[in-house]
């Protein structure tokens, strides 16, 4: 039966859910509180520069391609995807490490640093590929209402090899001992929301989905991906409403009946909330309609927030790659200050993206587009003074790495973005940037439910529910939510 469906939020999961629901024949409306599409993947332009506001790592290209294939399309119908070589560079205190696109060259890099590590990388990637193929095609596609969903011959047969009960920290050290190789292999799980010691070894699949399948860039930026998804949705009849914050979800008995948008009550048969899960429950629902109370959320482990700077630089900067990781300091110290001590870091690591190295359209001629990101704890105090302190430190380290003197004087555009902005723009719980951590105690059925248990026709999607944070998981989350609509 054709339903009238409201989707709250136009990020990756919201657009995905809307497109799949429209494909199934439903009337779908997306309500976006901001003036542009994309949620955390919005973009903006100023002074001739175009900045992606959020995602910048294009990993797991097959999962993204799979979304387009579901609608009879290809990514190449909408944007050009180019491989990055090197994939990225890691800056250490005593030397730098460039990760090549070519896997055989990557093996040689490992072997050069640690005897026998090249062959062990083969073993690691063989195991990671198995986890990727089972995990991304079987494990993460479940709605996770019950553990019984995982009782299948394929998953049962794979259970031990998926390493759900061992941690990533120990797993990496079974293969490698060189500190730089350990850091290189642990880096991909940082944004899953916990220290490597608290992440299941299952997530070595991230290494395969990144290093082995390659690091890519969509020419024009991630906005091209968002715009392509929006075009698919609109071609299927989806209506997108901007500057349309949802103030309340209305309900009668056990059914959601509609939403209040800018003071106007709109009726719907089904609601999918791609908005922040905590905000949706605590601010849009009555207390007796919520799955979880405030105490529940306080106990949860969240992925980091971050301090971001968008910079336009009036000259070319030699010695920079598209992606650069500044890891001169201790990874374990920074992660402990994010997840355990929950304070501003004493010796931070940070990430720099320079898309203008690949894509001239992102900056004026002979200029550079820089995106700086430093992971930080959620819920800590945000201030201009703290932003400026870390900005100066990051600029100093970039100057040292590139040999550029007085880089700050060459910045002609600067904008910062941090905890208070995530809260204002996305209603993000404690200013989180990446959702709920993928710890063992927050995996699968142990994540917040994709379905409201009090209102039969209210569903959730996005990085605070299954399968978790990241662009590919968000696409999958939207598909799961749309499939649940068909069960109502």
């Amino acid at each position: 039966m054709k339903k009238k469906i409201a989707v709250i939020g136009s990020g990756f999961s919201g657009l995905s859910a809307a497109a799949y629901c429209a494909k199934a024949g439903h009337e779908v409306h997306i309500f976006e509180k901001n003036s542009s599409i994309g949620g955390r993947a919005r973009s903006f332009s100023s002074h001739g520069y175009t900045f992606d506001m959020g995602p910048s790592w294009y990993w797991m290209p097959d999962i993204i391609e799979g979304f387009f294939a579901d609608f009879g399309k290809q990514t190449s119908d909408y944007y050009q995807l180019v491989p990055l070589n090197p994939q990225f560079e890691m800056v250490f205190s005593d030397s730098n490490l460039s990760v090549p696109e070519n896997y055989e060259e990557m093996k040689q890099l490992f072997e050069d640093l640690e005897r026998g590590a090249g062959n062990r990388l083969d073993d690691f990637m063989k195991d990671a590929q198995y986890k990727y193929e089972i995990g991304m095609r079987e494990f993460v596609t479940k709605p996770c209402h019950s553990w019984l969903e995982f009782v299948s011959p394929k998953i049962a047969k794979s259970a031990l090899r998926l390493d759900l009960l061992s941690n990533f920290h120990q797993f990496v050290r079974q293969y490698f001992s060189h500190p730089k190789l350990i850091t290189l292999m642990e880096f991909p799980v940082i944004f899953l929301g916990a220290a490597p010691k608290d992440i299941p070894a299952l997530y070595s699949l991230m290494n395969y989905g990144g290093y082995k399948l390659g690091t890519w860039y969509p020419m024009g930026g991630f906005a091209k991906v968002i715009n392509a998804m929006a075009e698919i949705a609109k071609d299927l009849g989806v209506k997108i409403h901007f500057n349309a914050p949802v103030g309340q979800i209305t309900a009668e008995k056990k059914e959601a009946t509609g939403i209040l948008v800018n003071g106007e009550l709109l009726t719907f048969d089904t609601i999918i909330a791609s908005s922040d899960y905590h905000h949706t429950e605590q601010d849009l629902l009555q207390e007796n309609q919520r799955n979880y109370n405030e105490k529940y959320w306080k106990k949860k482990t969240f992925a980091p927030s971050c301090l971001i700077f968008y910079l336009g630089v009036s000259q070319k900067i030699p010695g920079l790659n598209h992606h650069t990781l500044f890891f001169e300091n201790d990874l374990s110290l920074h992660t402990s200050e994010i997840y355990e001590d929950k304070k501003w870091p004493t010796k931070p690591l940070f990430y720099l993206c320079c898309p203008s190295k690949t894509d001239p359209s992102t900056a004026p001629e002979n200029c550079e587009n820089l995106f700086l990101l430093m992971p930080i704890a959620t819920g800590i105090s945000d201030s201009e003074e703290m932003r400026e302190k870390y900005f100066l430190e990051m600029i100093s380290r970039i100057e040292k790495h590139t040999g550029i003197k007085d880089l700050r004087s060459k910045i002609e555009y600067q904008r910062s973005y941090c905890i208070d902005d995530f809260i204002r723009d996305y209603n993000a719980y404690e200013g989180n940037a990446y959702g709920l951590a993928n710890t063992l105690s927050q995996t699968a059925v142990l994540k917040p439910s994709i379905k409201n248990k009090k209102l039969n026709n209210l569903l959730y999607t996005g990085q605070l529910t299954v399968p978790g944070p990241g662009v590919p998981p968000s696409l999958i989350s939207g598909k799961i939510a749309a499939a649940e609509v068909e069960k109502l």
Side-chain angles (χ1 to χ4, degrees), residues 255-467:
E255 297 286 328
T257 56
I259 55 177
L260 191 65
V261 180
N262 290 325
E264 182 181 2
L265 181 60
L266 306 172
T267 59
F268 288 93
D269 302 310
T270 304
I271 298 169
I272 301 175
S274 176
S275 45
D276 181 272
Y277 201 126
H278 170 271
H279 161 72
T280 303
E281 294 229 317
Q282 298 300 311
D283 299 330
L284 306 187
L285 293 174
Q286 300 297 317
E287 186 174 353
N288 63 353
Q289 298 166 344
R290 301 167 188 163
N291 282 345
Y292 310 105
N293 58 26
E294 195 68 32
K295 186 177 179 182
Y296 169 89
W297 293 107
K298 287 293 184 186
K299 291 181 178 179
K300 291 293 156 186
T301 301
F302 277 79
S305 184
C306 50
L307 169 60
I308 299 172
F309 285 93
Y310 309 99
L311 306 176
V313 181
S314 62
Q315 72 171 57
K316 285 294 183 183
I317 303 175
L320 271 187
N321 287 300
H322 190 113
H323 296 303
T324 307
L325 301 167
F326 286 80
F327 274 45
E328 307 99 321
N329 298 323
D330 181 27
L331 172 62
S332 61
L333 173 63
H334 192 147
T335 54
S336 69
E337 290 175 337
I338 291 174
Y339 304 117
E340 296 166 17
D341 298 337
K342 290 186 76 81
K343 65 179 185 180
W344 284 91
T346 52
K347 295 183 177 181
L349 314 177
F350 73 98
Y351 156 62
L352 183 154
C353 180
C354 185
S356 49
K357 291 295 182 186
T358 305
D359 186 354
S361 73
T362 63
E365 189 175 359
N366 295 319
C367 296
E368 299 283 29
N369 175 319
L370 301 185
F371 170 94
L372 313 184
L373 184 152
M374 185 181 79
I376 58 175
T378 57
I380 57 178
S381 177
D382 180 11
S383 69
E384 289 301 322
E385 291 75 19
M386 293 303 287
R387 296 187 189 199
E388 180 71 7
K389 172 188 173 182
Y390 288 99
F391 172 69
L392 294 177
E393 176 172 344
M394 287 189 277
I395 290 296
S396 174
R397 287 159 67 178
I398 295 168
E399 289 176 338
K400 181 180 178 181
H401 174 61
T402 61
I404 292 286
K405 294 182 179 179
D406 195 18
L407 176 58
R408 193 174 187 188
S409 69
K410 299 170 177 67
I411 296 172
E412 60 180 2
Y413 177 79
Q414 177 178 330
R415 176 184 175 184
S416 66
Y417 202 92
C418 198
I419 287 175
D420 289 349
D421 302 293
F422 281 103
I423 294 172
R424 182 194 66 240
D425 289 350
Y426 311 122
N427 297 305
Y429 180 69
E430 293 192 339
N432 81 84
Y434 299 98
L436 204 61
N438 272 343
T439 60
L440 183 59
S441 62
Q442 296 178 169
T443 294
V445 177
L446 302 177
K447 284 187 181 292
S449 174
I450 202 164
K451 193 173 189 303
N452 187 287
K453 301 168 186 175
K454 312 291 178 59
L455 302 175
N456 297 325
N457 56 340
L458 172 59
L459 299 161
Y460 305 90
T461 187
Q463 56 187 14
L464 289 179
T465 184
V466 294

Side-chain angles (χ1 to χ4, degrees), residues 57-70 73-76 79-84 87 101 132 136-137 205-218 222 225 471-473 475-476:
W57 288 81
Y58 198 108
W59 275 358
M60 303 185 184
D62 57 322
I63 303 299
I64 300 175
E65 194 69 56
F67 169 84
F68 288 89
D70 283 345
K73 301 291 185 179
Q74 299 176 347
T75 55
S76 58
Y79 54 87
Q80 179 189 0
L81 202 57
V82 297
L84 299 183
Q87 298 189 44
E101 174 195 3
Y132 185 85
M136 296 305 293
R137 290 175 174 80
L205 64 84
M206 293 282 291
N207 299 82
Y208 177 80
Y211 300 168
K212 193 69 182 291
L213 296 184
T215 302
W216 302 77
Y217 175 78
F222 261 84
V225 187
V471 173
L475 295 178
I476 294 169

Side-chain angles (χ1 to χ4, degrees), residues 48-312:
Y49 298 89
T50 298
F51 298 95
D52 281 327
M53 294 190 70
S56 60
W57 288 81
Y58 198 108
W59 275 358
M60 303 185 184
D62 57 322
I63 303 299
I64 300 175
E65 194 69 56
F67 169 84
F68 288 89
D70 283 345
F71 299 92
K73 301 291 185 179
Q74 299 176 347
T75 55
S76 58
D77 295 330
Y78 300 94
Y79 54 87
Q80 179 189 0
L81 202 57
V82 297
L84 299 183
N85 188 29
Q87 298 189 44
F88 57 91
E89 183 175 21
M90 300 190 87
V91 178
F92 294 99
S93 59
D94 59 349
S95 63
N96 305 331
L97 199 66
S98 290
V99 178
E101 174 195 3
N102 182 275
Y103 180 70
E104 290 303 315
E105 292 178 15
M106 193 184 306
K107 281 181 61 178
Q108 188 59 53
L109 171 68
F110 274 62
E111 189 64 31
D112 290 344
L113 285 172
E114 180 181 325
R115 186 176 180 180
N119 288 333
R120 289 195 295 277
L121 180 62
D122 274 339
D123 295 337
F124 183 99
M125 285 299 180
K126 183 178 179 181
D127 177 83
Q129 180 178 358
Y130 180 84
K131 291 173 182 170
Y132 185 85
E133 291 173 350
I134 297 297
M136 296 305 293
R137 290 175 174 80
E138 301 285 337
F139 196 80
V140 303
T141 58
K142 308 293 185 185
C144 298
H145 300 308
S146 164
W147 289 112
L148 292 176
E149 294 168 26
F150 299 92
V151 180
S152 73
K154 184 178 286 188
I155 293 179
K157 183 180 178 182
S158 308
L160 290 177
R161 289 186 65 183
L162 289 177
D163 283 317
L164 283 168
L165 300 179
S166 55
N167 74 65
F168 194 75
H169 173 92
Q170 293 173 339
F171 182 78
V172 168
R173 284 160 179 77
Q174 292 174 17
Y175 292 88
F176 311 107
S177 59
H178 195 287
K180 290 178 182 174
L181 294 183
I182 289 173
T183 299
L184 174 62
M185 299 308 280
E186 287 187 337
F187 151 68
V189 305
I190 292 174
F191 295 104
L192 291 177
K197 65 182 177 63
D198 298 317
I199 293 284
L202 164 69
Y203 289 103
S204 63
L205 64 84
M206 293 282 291
N207 299 82
Y208 177 80
Y211 300 168
K212 193 69 182 291
L213 296 184
T215 302
W216 302 77
Y217 175 78
M219 294 298 285
F222 261 84
K224 288 288 187 179
V225 187
I226 282 291
N227 290 338
M229 293 178 64
E231 188 173 332
I232 286 174
K234 287 188 285 189
D235 285 347
L236 290 166
V238 175
K239 300 290 190 297
I240 303 175
H241 308 270
F242 294 107
N243 301 307
V246 175
Q248 183 184 347
I249 296 173
T250 59
E252 291 180 8
K253 298 180 180 178
K254 293 185 177 182
E255 297 286 328
T257 56
I259 55 177
L260 191 65
V261 180
N262 290 325
E264 182 181 2
L265 181 60
L266 306 172
T267 59
F268 288 93
D269 302 310
T270 304
I271 298 169
I272 301 175
S274 176
S275 45
D276 181 272
Y277 201 126
H278 170 271
H279 161 72
T280 303
E281 294 229 317
Q282 298 300 311
D283 299 330
L284 306 187
L285 293 174
Q286 300 297 317
E287 186 174 353
N288 63 353
Q289 298 166 344
R290 301 167 188 163
N291 282 345
Y292 310 105
N293 58 26
E294 195 68 32
K295 186 177 179 182
Y296 169 89
W297 293 107
K298 287 293 184 186
K299 291 181 178 179
K300 291 293 156 186
T301 301
F302 277 79
S305 184
C306 50
L307 169 60
I308 299 172
F309 285 93
Y310 309 99
L311 306 176

